[in-house]
Each structure stands twice: as C-alpha cells, then as structure tokens.
Amino acid sequence: MAAHPSSSTLVAPGFRFAEPPIDDGVQASGSTFNLEAIALVLYFYRDALAGALRYYLAVAKIDPIWFLPDIFAMVCILAFIQRYILVGRSLVAILTLFYIAFALYLGYVFLGYFTGMISSFKMIAPVFVGFCFCGRDFGQYRRLLAWIHPLFYLTIFGIFLSSRIQLPWVGFAYETFGGTRQASRLWWAASETRLAGLAADSTMAAFFVFITYVVTSVRRSLLWCLLWAPVGLYAIKLTTSKTSLGVMVIYVVCLVIVRLLPEREKFPMLRRMALLSFLSILVPALLMALFSGTSLVSISRSLYSLQDRVNNSWQLPFVYMADLMPVGFFFGCGLGCFNYPQLLFSNKLSYYVPVDNFYLGTYLMFGPIFVVFVILVILAVARTRDIYKLSFAIAMNLFTITVLAYGPASGLIMLSVVFSEVFAREKGRADRIASSAAPLAPDVDDLVSRPA
C-alpha cells in the first residue's frame, strides 16, 4: 500500500507511515493553533505544574487565573455546537450533548447540592476540548506540539528536584468551591514517599511524564525514543506510580515493534494495536471474576491497591447505587456520582467510593447508553488515519484500566481526542466540518516560534 504524498504523516526524521490517500482535513493549515489547541496547552501546563501554580498564585493573590483553562473549555462547548451540530449536523453529536445535559441534571438529583452540579459541569467541560479535534489531524498542530515537548523535560526535572529538596507547595492546602484539597507526598496505602515534582500529586506527575512522552515520540526518531524512555521510566519510578510505569513500558515496546516493521505494515499495525487496546475495557470484569474475595496481599504487599480495586472500587458503587438511585442502572446516576464532586460536595459522602477505571466510572454516570457510544467510538477509530489519535488510544486505554482519568482534566481531554472522530458522519465529512468551521479564537502562530 503506497503512501499518498499529501496524506503521509511524518513520525520521525527519515521515514513516513504508509497511509490511505485520504486528506485528513487540515493539511492546508499546517500551522494550526486555534481554540482547542490553546485550551489543551493551558490545561496541560496547569495540571503538570499544579502544585507550583496553586502555591504561587495563592501567594501572589491572583488565584482566579487558575480557572483560565476552564473558560476556554466553556468556549469549546460553543465551538462543538457550531462545528458538529449546526454545521456538521451529526446525530451522534446532538445526542451526546443532550445526554450530557441530562446526566448533569441527574447528577444534581444524586448529589443533592447545586455546588455539586457546578463542580460536575466543570469536571465534564474539558471533554469538549478533545471533541473539537474531530476532523483535524493532530500532527498539523505544530505549535501545540512545540509547547508540549518541553513539558516532558520540565516534569522530569521537577520530579528529580523534589527528590533532593522539600518543595514549598508540598502539604499546601487550597480551596475549590468550598472544598479543600492538599498537595501530599505520602501514599495512603503504605505511607511511602511519592514524589510529585511540580504537580499537585505523584500520580499527576507520573501521568505527564508518560503522556508527554507519547505525544512527543510520534515525531521523534527511534534513537530519541530509546534514549529518553529509560529517563522517563526512572522518573516515573520515583513517583511510585505502578500504572504509569507499566503502561509506558508497554507503549515503548509497541512503538519499537511498529518502527521496526516494513514501511507498508507500519500503519496497519498501529491501527490494529489501537483497536486491540479497547479489549482493556474487559480487564476489570476478568480480574473480578478471577480474584474477587481473594487476599492478594498475602501474595505480595504491592498488590494491595489491586486488591482494593477488585473487592471495593469496581464493585461497591453498583451495590450502593441499588440503594441510592436504582434508576441509575438504566440512565446512570448522573455526572459527579462516585467521582470527586461527590467527595467534595454531596449529601451522600458516606457512600463515596473512588472508581479507579475510566470506563466503569463513566458507565456509572451515563448508564447503558455509554456502551453504545463506545461501540461507535471503536468503529470511528477503525476508520481514522491520524497516527497521533491511534497512539493516544493505545496509551489511554491501557492507562485507564486502573485510573478514573477525570482529574486532572488533561487525562479526560486525551481520551476525548481519541473519541472525537465519532462525530464525523461519513468518510470525508470531517474534512468539510474542519474547513467550514471558523476558529472561535484568533490564530497565535506569530506568538510561538516554529519548532526545529
């Protein structure tokens, strides 16, 4: 299968993926950096530097700046409506927007507080940032990629720095809508040190080492990937995040396999891996069937967190929902249920259980309709030609086996980037949507230097 000159995507100096001769929708705008790109960059930097930013914004008495990315997310909701409903006339987009609004109301009923509903709305808004990448080749956002790349090195530097000195924001408490959070360096399961670097917690720091490596590696040579992978893995090891460590190892193996294949087989293999990664949705059910009620700690103390997920995190929310909102089995219990809005703003705090799996947690909030949405997503991924989105599918599907991924918001954004092509009604439809939708923010190419 030969690559079409206008559609092959550069993934490393010296070679290209062989892709079908279909235009990806934004080939003419190679310097694209508009609304969704700005929003993604703002979220990435806010979340990756959350510990330091929260502390210094509070010291400088300019805390409201923290919510700047959320403002862009709200505007992305308008962009989503304009591009994929008013212009694209996508039935899936219409139904998605309607059901999110319905789930927001159900969440208000479940949580019992208006503040909880506002927190739930803030929680779900970033999903529209990722959705706005529908019909657009992620690789064409060169300014966006240029901003994400240094974040990989900055996150690693922060982790190494925190291993040497006590950073001032560790233990710093801050309030959000009346709820209090704290940047901590102790792991609740074993009271061991978990380095967070510039982020608010170690899981967040580990995630940004991993996800910035994934984003950057697509365009870098195999030599760069193999050189920086051990550095990134060591930094993640310092955070003690087993999930990020294991997933990054798997991702590096997949990357090497794809790079070593003959040219014509690279893209089909990447797409095949992306589709197979959706099998990870079945992992919690398999683990519960095999190990429910089993004391995994007796095998190894390091399996405590897995044991807690198998026996509590993945099962108890369904038990509690039978008591709290039986209708939730048909329509979901609404946005924020068994998520951090319930932990911070709810009259059902005693029933709160962290659901450490994205697909289970989202199913609880939306109900069986989410299964239909996921099936449509898988079909859309099978059609996509964007190697970035395919790479993100592999990374995020594996990562979310044991992570809910609604906080920080950047995790949810990366998942919604993967899901975004579901709103393209037909082959080539995304191209027309992308070309006809005027950006809701000015181009800022002149403000950012072109990457080397």
Side-chain angles (χ1 to χ4, degrees):
M1 180 172 59
H4 190 276
S6 64
S7 65
S8 57
T9 305
L10 186 64
V11 294
F15 73 91
R16 298 169 180 264
F17 272 116
E19 302 183 37
I22 301 292
D23 181 49
D24 283 310
V26 290
Q27 301 297 333
S29 55
S31 59
T32 300
F33 197 121
N34 54 13
L35 176 65
E36 62 271 14
I38 297 172
L40 191 150
V41 166
L42 289 175
Y43 270 112
F44 260 52
Y45 273 82
R46 187 185 76 173
D47 293 342
L49 312 177
L53 276 178
R54 273 289 192 184
Y55 178 76
Y56 288 114
L57 288 177
V59 169
K61 307 296 184 183
I62 50 175
D63 304 71
I65 292 179
W66 175 264
F67 299 102
L68 182 60
D70 300 302
I71 295 174
F72 273 85
M74 305 303 173
V75 182
C76 280
I77 298 176
L78 300 178
F80 176 82
I81 294 172
Q82 185 256 335
R83 294 178 187 177
Y84 311 111
I85 295 179
L86 299 180
V87 176
R89 300 187 183 279
S90 167
L91 179 60
V92 179
I94 296 171
L95 294 177
T96 297
L97 184 67
F98 168 79
Y99 210 88
I100 286 178
F102 176 63
L104 187 64
Y105 168 74
L106 280 181
Y108 170 67
V109 174
F110 182 90
L111 298 175
Y113 290 115
F114 181 75
T115 311
M117 185 181 72
I118 296 300
S119 178
S120 298
F121 178 65
K122 179 178 175 292
M123 175 194 74
I124 201 65
V127 79
F128 291 95
V129 175
F131 286 167
C132 284
F133 283 90
C134 174
R136 301 179 178 219
D137 186 345
F138 199 91
Q140 295 297 321
Y141 291 84
R142 296 179 183 174
R143 285 4 182 223
L144 167 61
L145 296 173
W147 277 92
I148 291 178
H149 186 191
L151 200 56
F152 172 69
Y153 307 114
L154 191 59
T155 304
I156 291 176
F157 169 76
I159 294 172
F160 289 164
L161 182 65
S162 63
S163 69
R164 299 292 182 180
I165 63 174
Q166 177 82 2
L167 298 174
W169 48 87
V170 175
F172 173 70
Y174 55 91
E175 290 191 1
T176 302
F177 297 108
T180 301
R181 297 187 181 186
Q182 186 178 49
S184 175
R185 70 184 280 134
L186 293 180
W187 185 27
W188 61 273
S191 295
E192 79 178 292
T193 300
R194 304 193 74 177
L195 303 176
L198 304 174
D201 62 63
S202 57
T203 302
M204 197 180 296
F207 170 74
F208 276 98
V209 173
F210 163 63
I211 198 61
T212 53
Y213 177 86
V214 171
V215 174
T216 304
S217 65
V218 176
R219 299 181 68 243
R220 296 291 161 174
S221 67
L222 183 58
L223 178 61
W224 184 94
C225 296
L226 295 178
L227 178 65
W228 282 100
V231 179
L233 289 169
Y234 179 69
I236 293 175
K237 185 176 184 297
L238 291 178
T239 70
T240 72
S241 175
K242 299 181 183 67
T243 296
S244 295
L245 187 66
V247 174
M248 184 161 172
V249 169
I250 296 173
Y251 176 80
V252 171
V253 171
C254 292
L255 183 149
V256 172
I257 290 174
V258 171
R259 293 290 180 89
L260 294 180
L261 286 174
E263 193 68 25
R264 67 167 66 184
E265 298 178 17
K266 293 182 188 294
F267 180 75
M269 175 58 75
L270 178 63
R271 178 181 280 172
R272 196 174 301 121
M273 287 179 173
L275 291 173
L276 288 174
S277 70
F278 283 97
L279 291 176
S280 62
I281 297 173
L282 305 176
V283 170
L286 179 62
L287 291 177
M288 285 188 286
L290 293 175
F291 302 113
S292 185
T294 303
S295 177
L296 297 175
V297 178
S298 61
I299 302 174
S300 171
R301 191 176 179 184
S302 63
L303 295 176
Y304 178 84
S305 59
L306 179 60
Q307 175 181 297
D308 182 64
R309 288 176 171 90
V310 169
N311 295 320
N312 299 309
S313 174
W314 295 338
Q315 297 190 53
L316 287 181
F318 292 94
V319 176
Y320 293 157
M321 191 162 67
D323 296 331
L324 299 173
M325 185 182 278
V327 72
F329 288 106
F330 301 97
F331 301 105
C333 53
L335 290 177
C337 71
F338 303 107
N339 209 318
Y340 67 80
Q342 182 180 343
L343 176 63
L344 297 175
F345 319 100
S346 173
N347 56 20
K348 298 178 178 64
L349 179 59
S350 60
Y351 288 93
Y352 173 73
V353 179
V355 187
D356 295 318
N357 179 278
F358 170 78
Y359 288 98
L360 277 179
T362 307
Y363 179 87
L364 282 164
M365 291 190 287
F366 290 96
I369 193 68
F370 180 63
V371 177
V372 178
F373 182 81
V374 171
I375 292 173
L376 294 176
V377 165
I378 294 173
L379 295 175
V381 170
R383 297 191 302 267
T384 188
R385 290 164 295 279
D386 188 334
I387 63 171
Y388 280 88
K389 293 176 182 177
L390 293 174
S391 300
F392 299 161
I394 298 170
M396 294 306 299
N397 278 334
L398 295 176
F399 180 76
T400 55
I401 291 176
T402 58
V403 178
L404 183 56
Y406 277 86
S410 298
L412 180 60
I413 291 174
M414 297 312 293
L415 282 161
S416 59
V417 169
V418 175
F419 295 170
S420 63
E421 293 306 309
V422 75
F423 303 115
R425 288 177 54 188
E426 59 192 47
K427 188 189 327 185
R429 182 76 175 184
D431 302 355
R432 295 192 293 276
I433 293 174
S435 61
S436 61
L440 297 184
D443 194 297
V444 294
D445 290 338
D446 295 334
L447 304 180
V448 188
S449 61
R450 183 180 299 274

